[in-house]
Amino acid sequence: MGCRLNGYESEKMATFARDAGLANVVVINSCAVTNEAVRQTRQKIRQIRKVAPDKEIIVTGCAAQIDPASFQEMPEVSSVIGNTEKMTPASWQKLTHTPTTTVSDIMTVSEFPDLDLPASTASQQSRTRAYIQIQNGCDHRCTFCIIPYGRGNSRSVPIENVLNEIRDLVVSGTKEIVLTGVDITSYGLDLAGDKSLGVLVRRILTDIPDLPRLRLSSIDGAEIDETLFQLITEEKRIAPHLHLSLQAGDDMILKRMKRRHTRAQAIDFCKSIREKRPDVVFGADIIAGFPTETEEMFQNSVSLIEKCNLTYLHVFPYSARAGTPAAKMPQVERAVIKERAARLRDAGDAALRRQLDSLTGKVLDVLTEKPRDADISQLTGSGRLANFAEVKFACTSDPRFLQPGQICRVRLERHDGRILYGALLRECGK
C-alpha cells in the first residue's frame, strides 16, 4: 500500500519470506499518510480474508508501526511487525514458528541494516526502471504529517551500498534508476564526512557511466545543495522531471504547516532551474483544505500552479491525523475540502494539457515499459519520456520496441489530455 518506498521494501520482504520458507501467507505493507490510507489498509485485510480464508495475514508498514494494537485486534490478522523488523531477515524466520507482534521504538533506530542482497532480488528488477532506497525517515515535523512516527528519524544508506546495487541493476539491463526515500534531500546529514544528495548523485553519474537515466523522486527545494543544483541543470542523464514537496502556495498556511520555504522561494527555485534547463518539468504535492485555509489562501495555491509552471500534481484533500498539531487547529468543512481538491485537480489537468500541447510535433526518446492496458494492440508500444510524460506509439516494423527496456525515437503526433500518441522512427540507444 502507499508509496514507492513501500514498493521497494516489499520486494526485499518477499525475498526474506521466501528464504524463511514462509508459505500460504499474505503480507500487507501498510500506509499511514492519511486516514483514508489506513482505512484502505483495513479494507484490504478484510477483502483478503474473504477471498483467501485459509491464508495467514501479516501486517507491517507505517500504519502497523504507528498503531500496532489496532491491527493486532483485527480477527483477520495473524501477525504484526514494525518497520524496523520488516527489514530484518530474522523477523521472518521467527514468523515460521509462531504468530507474533513485534514492533520496536523506531525513534531509536539510527542506521540501516546491512542486508547484502543482490539487486536482482532486492529491487523491482526490470529492464525499464528500478527504485533504489537511499534514505529513510524524516527529521522535520510538519504539523500535518504522521510519517516520522512511522519511519523514525532520517538515516542514509552508505554511498557504496547504493552504488553496488545500481551497478548490479545496470549490468542486468535496467535503463532508469529512481532514487527514493522519505526525505531524500536530507541524504548524508547523518553520515561521516562531506555527504549530501548532490555528492551521491555525482558519484552515481561518475562511477556508473553506462546508466542512461537517473531520476529523483520527491524533493524539497529548501534542502537542495549547490552540487545537486548544478547537476540537475547541467547533466542530461538526470531526468528533467522534479517532483516538489510544496504542499501549499500561501505563506500563512506554509507557516502553520511548519514548512521551510515561502511562496516566493518556491517560485524563485522553479525559475532558477528553468533558466538554466528549460526542459525541466515540475510536479508537486499540494494539500487542499488545510486547517484555517480561507478561499483567498486557497487561491494562492491555485495560482502557484501557473507561477511555478507545475504539470503533474498530487492533490491531497486534508485529512486530520490524530497526534499531529494540525488536528487541533480549526478545521475546514469536509465539503469545502472536497470541492477545493477538485478545483486543484482541474487546474492540474489544464496544466498537463498545456505541457502535452508543447510536446506535440516533436521527436523525442521514449523508454519503453510494460503497457498498463490489458487490451493494448500488439502493434502498439508504451513508455515514458525523460520528463515522465506517458507515450503510446505505433510500431509496425520491429517488435523489439514493444518490449520493456528499449530506448527508441518517437514522433509525437497528438494527445488526449493525459497520454501522448506517436509513431516509432528508429532506435536511439541501447
Side-chain angles (χ1 to χ4, degrees), residues 32-43:
V33 69
T34 63
N35 288 330
E36 176 62 16
V38 177
R39 186 196 68 79
Q40 289 178 3
T41 296
R42 297 182 185 282
Q43 181 184 57

Side-chain angles (χ1 to χ4, degrees), residues 132-144:
I132 301 296
Q133 181 183 20
I134 64 169
Q135 180 273 343
N136 202 346
C138 185
D139 291 338
H140 309 299
R141 296 296 180 266
C142 297
T143 60
F144 56 83

Side-chain angles (χ1 to χ4, degrees), residues 80-340:
V80 180
I81 60 175
N83 267 342
T84 298
E85 288 74 21
K86 76 180 183 183
M87 302 308 292
T88 305
S91 299
W92 298 91
Q93 294 287 345
K94 292 179 182 178
L95 290 173
T96 63
H97 304 298
T98 181
T100 183
T101 294
T102 309
V103 182
S104 61
D105 182 0
I106 202 164
M107 291 301 179
T108 65
V109 180
S110 59
E111 60 185 23
F112 272 86
D114 186 4
L115 300 176
D116 193 28
L117 284 177
S120 58
T121 60
S123 301
Q124 299 100 309
Q125 175 61 17
S126 144
R127 292 182 62 85
T128 300
R129 70 176 54 85
Y131 298 98
I132 301 296
Q133 181 183 20
I134 64 169
Q135 180 273 343
N136 202 346
C138 185
D139 291 338
H140 309 299
R141 296 296 180 266
C142 297
T143 60
F144 56 83
C145 187
I146 197 71
I147 296 305
Y149 304 100
R151 287 287 181 175
N153 293 316
S154 181
R155 51 208 186 275
S156 308
V157 180
I159 287 181
E160 292 303 326
N161 295 36
V162 176
L163 293 175
N164 289 338
E165 189 165 6
I166 294 176
R167 283 192 191 99
D168 288 348
L169 287 163
V170 172
V171 167
S172 70
T174 300
K175 298 296 194 301
E176 178 179 301
I177 296 295
V178 185
L179 302 183
T180 189
V182 176
D183 179 25
I184 68 170
T185 32
S186 69
Y187 178 87
L189 297 179
D190 58 316
L191 299 177
D194 183 19
K195 304 293 194 308
S196 67
L197 181 58
V199 170
L200 172 64
V201 169
R202 185 172 59 196
R203 283 288 306 276
I204 293 171
L205 295 172
T206 301
D207 292 14
I208 311 176
D210 292 336
L211 173 64
R213 277 189 195 174
L214 180 64
R215 190 180 299 277
L216 306 176
S217 62
S218 182
I219 63 173
D220 189 336
E223 294 182 321
I224 286 185
D225 58 280
E226 292 183 9
T227 299
L228 182 59
F229 181 88
Q230 181 179 6
L231 289 169
I232 290 172
T233 55
E234 296 180 1
E235 175 54 65
K236 298 304 181 185
R237 290 160 64 200
I238 296 178
H241 168 243
L242 300 177
H243 190 83
L244 307 177
S245 180
L246 295 181
Q247 310 304 345
D250 180 82
D251 282 336
M252 181 56 71
I253 292 297
L254 288 168
K255 183 176 181 179
R256 289 170 179 166
M257 287 180 168
K258 208 174 178 181
R259 299 295 296 164
R260 294 172 304 286
H261 68 271
T262 65
R263 172 187 175 87
Q265 287 169 340
I267 294 170
D268 288 346
F269 173 77
C270 294
K271 180 181 178 182
S272 63
I273 292 283
R274 275 217 176 85
E275 284 178 346
K276 294 182 177 293
R277 192 172 178 186
D279 63 330
V280 169
V281 173
F282 294 106
D285 296 328
I286 299 184
I287 295 174
F290 184 81
T292 76
E293 182 185 73
T294 64
E295 177 64 22
E296 181 181 1
M297 292 171 175
F298 170 71
Q299 286 299 331
N300 284 335
S301 288
V302 174
S303 66
L304 192 70
I305 297 172
E306 182 176 353
K307 290 287 186 180
C308 289
N309 201 4
L310 305 177
T311 298
Y312 300 102
L313 294 190
H314 289 176
V315 175
F316 295 89
Y318 173 76
S319 174
R321 297 293 281 117
T324 62
K328 300 177 181 180
M329 298 178 185
Q331 304 292 302
V332 176
E333 293 182 6
R334 293 308 305 173
V336 175
I337 293 175
K338 183 178 180 180
E339 186 266 343
R340 288 178 182 172

